[in-house]
Amino acid sequence: IGGPRYGGWFRYKKTYKNKKRLFFAPSLTYGPWNQDFRGRIIGNYLFNPFSRSSINFDVGRSTSNLFWNDAVINLLDRTNYFLKDNITVGLRRELTNGLYIRNTVEMGYRRNMHNLKVNTLLDSLLFDREVQRPIYFENYSAFFNEVELSYTPEQKYIREPYEKVILGSRFPTFYAKWRKGIPGIFKSIIKYDYIEVGARQEVNLGTIGISRYNIKYGNFVNEDNVEAADFKFIARGNPGLFFNPMNSFQAMDSTFALFKGFIEAHYVHEFNGALLNKIPHFHKLKIFESAGAGFLIAPERQLRYIEAFVGVEKRFTILRQPIRLGIWGVASYANQFKNPMQLKISFRAYNFQRDRWE
């Protein structure tokens, strides 16, 4: 957005003898086309290893999009982007075994980037030569507070000399979240209340693989002034591309916002070769299979949607960067539109900064 940028980042991790932990990752880039600097410092400090009390922060100026998990074609559209200055601070603490509270405060100033110098080559390829500029809006301030309570029944742990080590539970984690846009503070114009309740779990089944699922109900109980950057979006599927199935649907026909109550669920099981490796000599190929499903109920749009998918992935390393290439079959049903069986490919890279596949 606004041409090429040059810069870098690094990350620092430190575990002290008393098991306190520090992590931070600063980054800085410069854009010669528009002669601007952007950068962030994100970090986390675990200051009480027994109550798992920690503080996290995110400070800086960065490009943000209205919906981070949208389809690729929409992420390539500059109208989806704006510039954000933010100071975000969060505190998390275990109140009793398995019961956690997290409170996050965010102060931000959102700027439009409508006048940036842009390269029109992509526009000529994707948008019939019409120049796509970042969304225009009057710059504004936003102030939020978010509180989340989560509880994992029968959470197992070991108490060591300097810390409490969480071993997990056979039960899911149940949570309730309230995000409030508060007007007036630092000239904030945002005013809304969004609530969400749900459950999530990751189950390690040993040689059979790993299952992950989440289910949630969300609703704006107050929407006096909700800007586009705070909408609750459901993403359209990517034609030919398979995206993260834990927070997106693969065959949805369009991207849309929801303001009334909805139910959303996702499930994925990674077999990690448990099935294919039983075929003689097949384990030498190092191919991993997965399957899953998802559904959405959105009365606001009179929509009921369900999908199922299966796929295989092959891991590569290119210039010391781990890559997973996959091929997937997706079937879906919706009462508002029809989608035939689809064949998709996926590309996932290992994010060393976040320590996960993305």
Side-chain angles (χ1 to χ4, degrees):
I1 307 302
R5 306 191 65 81
Y6 304 92
W9 62 271
F10 72 89
R11 64 175 181 172
Y12 175 84
K13 286 185 176 181
K14 173 73 173 179
T15 300
Y16 299 93
K17 185 178 179 180
N18 58 8
K19 298 303 180 180
K20 295 181 180 181
R21 298 185 183 94
L22 174 65
F23 164 80
F24 69 92
S27 62
L28 181 67
T29 65
Y30 174 73
W33 283 17
N34 293 277
Q35 300 180 0
D36 66 325
F37 286 94
R38 300 176 200 162
R40 297 171 65 190
I41 300 177
I42 62 175
N44 179 276
Y45 178 51
L46 177 67
F47 59 87
N48 190 325
F50 289 105
S51 66
R52 313 306 300 170
S53 299
S54 63
I55 181 170
N56 64 278
F57 57 89
D58 180 344
V59 181
R61 170 175 293 183
S62 60
T63 302
S64 185
N65 52 315
L66 299 181
F67 180 32
W68 67 272
N69 198 45
D70 209 346
V72 171
I73 187 65
N74 292 342
L75 295 178
L76 293 175
D77 186 346
R78 293 190 202 92
T79 61
N80 200 17
Y81 289 84
F82 63 95
L83 192 64
K84 179 176 72 173
D85 300 339
N86 73 287
I87 300 175
T88 306
V89 180
L91 288 170
R92 183 175 186 264
R93 176 184 176 85
E94 186 179 41
L95 301 177
T96 187
N97 185 47
L99 178 63
Y100 294 85
I101 185 171
R102 183 200 304 271
N103 191 84
T104 304
V105 176
E106 178 179 334
M107 298 168 283
Y109 188 66
R110 295 167 175 176
R111 311 168 185 263
N112 76 77
M113 302 189 295
H114 193 71
N115 294 321
L116 283 185
K117 295 179 182 178
V118 298
N119 187 333
T120 59
L121 175 61
L122 191 65
D123 303 316
S124 65
L125 296 175
L126 298 177
F127 304 107
D128 297 326
R129 300 183 183 278
E130 180 182 352
V131 177
Q132 302 292 302
R133 293 197 169 276
I135 185 172
Y136 177 80
F137 55 85
E138 295 292 334
N139 299 340
Y140 66 93
S141 296
F143 184 90
F144 307 90
N145 190 78
E146 181 176 291
V147 181
E148 179 180 311
L149 278 173
S150 62
Y151 179 59
T152 305
E154 296 186 15
Q155 176 181 267
K156 297 179 181 179
Y157 65 92
I158 297 175
R159 189 176 179 88
E160 294 189 346
Y162 294 108
E163 68 175 333
K164 177 180 180 179
V165 179
I166 307 300
L167 301 178
S169 170
R170 60 192 178 96
F171 291 100
T173 296
F174 302 94
Y175 73 92
K177 179 168 62 177
W178 172 31
R179 181 173 175 87
K180 184 175 184 64
I182 306 175
I185 301 178
F186 297 106
K187 300 182 179 179
S188 169
I189 67 170
I190 302 300
K191 187 178 182 181
Y192 70 80
D193 294 271
Y194 173 77
I195 61 170
E196 185 176 297
V197 294
R200 53 182 180 254
Q201 188 177 21
E202 177 177 311
V203 184
N204 190 332
L205 300 176
T207 58
I208 302 177
I210 297 175
S211 283
R212 299 181 181 89
Y213 69 86
N214 63 57
I215 182 170
K216 63 184 176 183
Y217 167 84
N219 188 17
F220 282 93
V221 294
N222 166 31
E223 47 183 296
D224 287 352
N225 188 16
V226 188
E227 295 295 326
D230 304 306
F231 288 177
K232 171 56 186 175
F233 284 102
I234 300 296
R236 60 168 290 185
N238 285 283
L241 290 177
F242 189 89
F243 253 33
N244 186 346
M246 289 303 295
N247 48 36
S248 64
F249 296 106
Q250 309 305 315
M252 193 68 71
D253 70 330
S254 61
T255 296
F256 53 87
L258 292 174
F259 297 94
K260 305 302 180 183
F262 65 92
I263 300 176
E264 178 182 353
H266 303 274
Y267 170 77
V268 175
H269 182 83
E270 297 180 353
F271 291 93
N272 294 330
L275 300 179
L276 294 179
N277 284 346
K278 296 183 181 301
I279 303 175
H281 308 295
F282 215 84
H283 67 279
K284 297 178 181 180
L285 298 176
K286 297 182 179 180
I287 294 178
F288 307 99
E289 66 276 28
S290 300
F295 73 84
L296 174 70
I297 301 175
E300 176 183 355
R301 299 179 65 91
Q302 298 181 342
L303 174 63
R304 297 184 301 277
Y305 171 91
I306 187 169
E307 69 179 19
F309 50 84
V310 294
V312 292
E313 290 182 301
K314 168 70 176 175
R315 177 172 172 170
F316 302 89
T317 300
I318 301 177
L319 298 177
R320 292 191 286 184
Q321 170 63 59
I323 301 290
R324 279 188 173 182
L325 173 64
I327 183 168
W328 303 78
V330 180
S332 65
Y333 165 80
N335 65 330
Q336 297 285 2
F337 59 89
K338 293 183 178 180
N339 267 331
M341 182 77 177
Q342 300 181 44
L343 193 65
K344 299 193 173 196
I345 60 174
S346 65
F347 300 92
R348 289 202 292 165
Y350 191 78
N351 188 325
F352 289 100
Q353 190 171 4
R354 296 188 177 185
D355 196 25
R356 67 187 185 190
W357 288 94
E358 295 184 340

